[in-house]
Amino acid sequence: MKYPAFEKLPDVEDFHGEKIADPYKWLEEPDSEKTKDFVNKQNEIFDEYRKTLTNRDQLLSKMREHYNYPKYGCPKKHGKYYYYSHNPGLLNQSIIYQLDSLDAEPRVFLDQNKLSEDGTSAIRMAAWNDDGSVYAFGQSDKGSDWVTIKFKTAEGELLKDEITKVRYSCLDWTKDGSGIFYNAYPSQEGVTDGTEVTGNENQLLFYHKMGTAQSEDIQIAAFPEDPKLMSGAEISDCGEYILLGIQRGCEPTNKLWIYKIQNGEIPRTENGILPYEKIIDTFDAKYDYLTNNGTVFFFATTKDAPRKKVISIDIATKETKEIIPQPETAKFECVAPVNKDYFIVEFLEDVKSAMYIYSMEGKQLCKVPIDIGTIGTISCKRKHAEIFFSFTSFLSPGQIFKLDISDPSNAKTELYRETVVPGFKSGDFVTEQVFYQSKDGTKIPMFIVAKKGFEMNGKNPCLLYGYGGFDISITPSFSSIRLPWLNNFNGLYCIANIRGGGEYGEEWHSAAIKSKKQTSYDDFQAAAEYLTAQQYSSSDNICIMGGSNGGLLVGACLNQRPELFSAGVAAVGVMDLLRFHRYTIGHAWCSDFGCSDDKKDFEYLKKLSPTHNIPNTEKFPAVLVTTADHDDRVVPHHSLKYLATLQETCTDTNRVLLGRIDTKAGHGFGKSTEMVLEEYSDTFSFIAKETGAEWNE
């Protein structure tokens, strides 16, 4: 395939005395005519390639057929009404419904599809006030991380209050519902529509009193001495305290300050910072507020417990007690107070969910019976004994259970709703979990999903997915998008739970960050070697795929071990590890990657950065790079500069090197259903073609 030649400029940057060429730096200007021309030409190339995808239309039809099933969210009671989200099938966004009771007729409360004409606006964050009378929701447009907070009453009235320039924000109400806390970047210069690349610094924390203008909001936290710090406010269950969590980037640690509200008023201070009491004032562990009984506060923490434990701190006496100890091998995934004096606890045990009920004294009362899979949403409140939770697995489209813990020692589950996908029969497929050995001898878990009866012949087309970053766990989940790959292409779908993720707690995460980041890539490459050695597939049939940090994973592995793979899909990836920290929220990722401003970090980052280490070899796999013009988290020039360098460098390969750039979309969020289906039909058609998969009806 012929690729157009693009202008190379003599841009060079000096990193600690070493000069690094940056010939495509001009692609960092998203609104320039040259960048627009580059994007258009890449999409034209992919349009031509799309014509060679003989089964693409059949695949899109199958995907649309499988995707057209009813999707439900967990019900939750706010005030006198229940609410849940629902998409009957192919709507661009879900609709939020209101119920008088669980068996009453639902009525539309808020239809996200009416937020914009093209279906690319969606609710990014939301919070009800305590009595359920007003709903605050953050609206994102075209997938941007910027949101506008709006307010709607339970009776359907849209209030005049509106809050702008909100990003990476908390959202919590005062107990009496008179106001709300949020974060904003009021000094952000230029556009805030998702196309900007300006760094996000000096985040501020505000209190908005309902019925007043945003210009009158009270600033309650700022960090001028360290403009990259971020914070969030949370109101205690009793309503008497503000808990301020302070975070440094994406580090899994936080400070914890507390302010006792006096006379129900939030004061305006001269420096814009309330006189907080600094309960935890170091970044040495994570503290997640659970609830409190007076001055005794409960937290889930990683303090001396990398897989977390539950403790209490009496803020009056500073006495600390261990309530639920760190489990021997599992990790705490979720803890929430329920039915006044109990906790519902979700553990992750070998990347599978388990659920228990504990007393607030730390006694385990019962285990909640669930199948092997993943608990999604847990919908509960401390004042209610009624709990709803969603459950999914690779072969379970979704179930919602109602859990009654009126008798906490004998919790009873009841199937409230089960999702049915047309044409899908779980018995037609199999799932297994294997443990393979990485380069350093560590055992890494991997899930393998396939059509029942597949042969271990070393020829199966295989999609290997990974992430391995930011303490995020990749757990079993259902996706109708994958069904044609499994059923019609007879493909394998594999997830390698590599280090850098959160599957086994902070030790698993920290084993593959900064100077140890290569560990993630070793783990992922070992997964491909295992699949080949065990005759699941072969290097001629394996495609690797990942998004964001996973896109970086794909780029690094293609560079380092191109002979292991037939193809790679790098979605919205962090492809320039030398400059990522300078754009939008990129500075927050230094917690996992390090920063090239530091010489010792630069020395390893220059060896890992996908854009700077592309080899010219005839064995280089086929590549599909995807991004979006409104991705203001991992800005699109990461993918554009990588793609330009890839097409220029890899002249010896006869494999395709392609880009697919969406417009009116962000970092995977807010896309309309049709955009999602179009993108995945292109992506899986590419994977099928480049791994030799053949279509079967």
Side-chain angles (χ1 to χ4, degrees), residues 225-266:
E225 74 286 354
D226 190 345
K228 294 178 181 178
L229 289 180
M230 301 170 71
S231 66
E234 192 171 1
I235 290 291
S236 61
D237 282 351
C238 63
E240 297 180 11
Y241 299 89
I242 298 173
L243 290 90
L244 178 70
I246 305 166
Q247 194 158 352
R248 190 166 55 188
C250 293
E251 289 183 20
T253 62
N254 64 282
K255 293 183 179 182
L256 179 70
W257 299 355
I258 291 182
Y259 172 77
K260 185 169 174 53
I261 300 171
Q262 306 293 328
N263 303 317
E265 294 293 328
I266 309 299

Side-chain angles (χ1 to χ4, degrees), residues 657-668:
L657 309 168
L658 303 168
R660 186 188 187 282
I661 299 101
D662 262 329
T663 58
K664 295 185 179 181
H667 196 66

Side-chain angles (χ1 to χ4, degrees), residues 11-15 18-22 25 579 582:
D11 287 303
V12 174
E13 184 166 352
D14 189 308
F15 289 89
E18 184 171 341
K19 291 179 169 51
I20 303 292
D22 196 2
K25 187 176 179 180
R579 295 167 58 84
R582 302 176 187 175

Side-chain angles (χ1 to χ4, degrees), residues 66-106:
H66 290 313
Y67 202 82
N68 189 14
Y69 68 92
K71 306 162 189 71
Y72 293 90
C74 278
K76 191 165 186 178
K77 192 172 187 180
H78 299 284
K80 58 184 179 180
Y81 302 117
Y82 285 91
Y83 296 85
Y84 69 94
S85 62
H86 173 54
N87 189 325
L90 296 175
L91 289 180
N92 288 320
Q93 310 294 341
S94 294
I95 298 171
I96 300 173
Y97 286 90
Q98 184 184 71
L99 293 163
D100 292 325
S101 64
L102 289 175
D103 55 1
E105 191 69 25

Side-chain angles (χ1 to χ4, degrees), residues 622-640:
V623 181
L624 175 60
V625 180
T626 66
T627 187
D629 64 347
H630 279 69
D631 188 343
D632 50 358
R633 190 174 303 176
V634 181
V635 289
H637 70 243
H638 275 281
S639 295
L640 304 187

Side-chain angles (χ1 to χ4, degrees), residues 261-405:
I261 300 171
Q262 306 293 328
N263 303 317
E265 294 293 328
I266 309 299
R268 194 183 299 273
T269 61
E270 186 175 341
N271 64 354
I273 305 174
L274 293 176
Y276 298 96
E277 181 181 1
K278 299 178 180 180
I279 304 299
I280 306 292
D281 201 34
T282 57
F283 290 109
D284 65 347
K286 180 77 170 173
Y287 293 85
D288 293 321
Y289 169 73
L290 303 175
T291 189
N292 66 293
N293 294 326
T295 60
V296 178
F297 283 69
F298 295 86
F299 299 95
T301 181
T302 56
K303 178 67 173 176
D304 301 322
R307 294 182 302 283
K308 289 188 180 180
K309 62 183 177 182
V310 175
I311 64 169
S312 68
I313 301 176
D314 189 324
I315 63 171
T317 65
K318 305 302 183 288
E319 181 185 9
T320 299
K321 291 182 180 179
E322 182 177 87
I323 305 300
I324 306 176
Q326 173 181 252
E328 288 187 15
T329 56
K331 63 165 281 194
F332 279 90
E333 192 74 354
C334 178
V335 186
V338 294
N339 195 19
K340 298 180 181 178
D341 299 316
Y342 303 94
F343 289 120
I344 185 165
V345 178
E346 178 197 351
F347 290 119
L348 204 59
E349 300 175 345
D350 279 334
V351 207
K352 301 176 285 287
S353 293
M355 183 182 280
Y356 299 84
I357 305 298
Y358 281 80
S359 72
M360 283 193 176
E361 288 74 39
K363 182 180 180 181
Q364 187 183 113
L365 301 175
C366 75
K367 182 175 183 178
V368 179
I370 59 171
D371 289 334
I372 295 175
T374 302
I375 294 170
T377 302
I378 298 177
S379 174
C380 64
K381 289 186 177 182
R382 183 174 181 181
K383 58 187 175 183
H384 296 155
E386 182 181 69
I387 301 166
F388 293 90
F389 67 91
S390 60
F391 177 85
T392 184
S393 69
F394 291 116
L395 303 181
S396 173
Q399 297 168 309
I400 295 175
F401 290 93
K402 182 180 177 183
L403 175 63
D404 189 341
I405 63 164

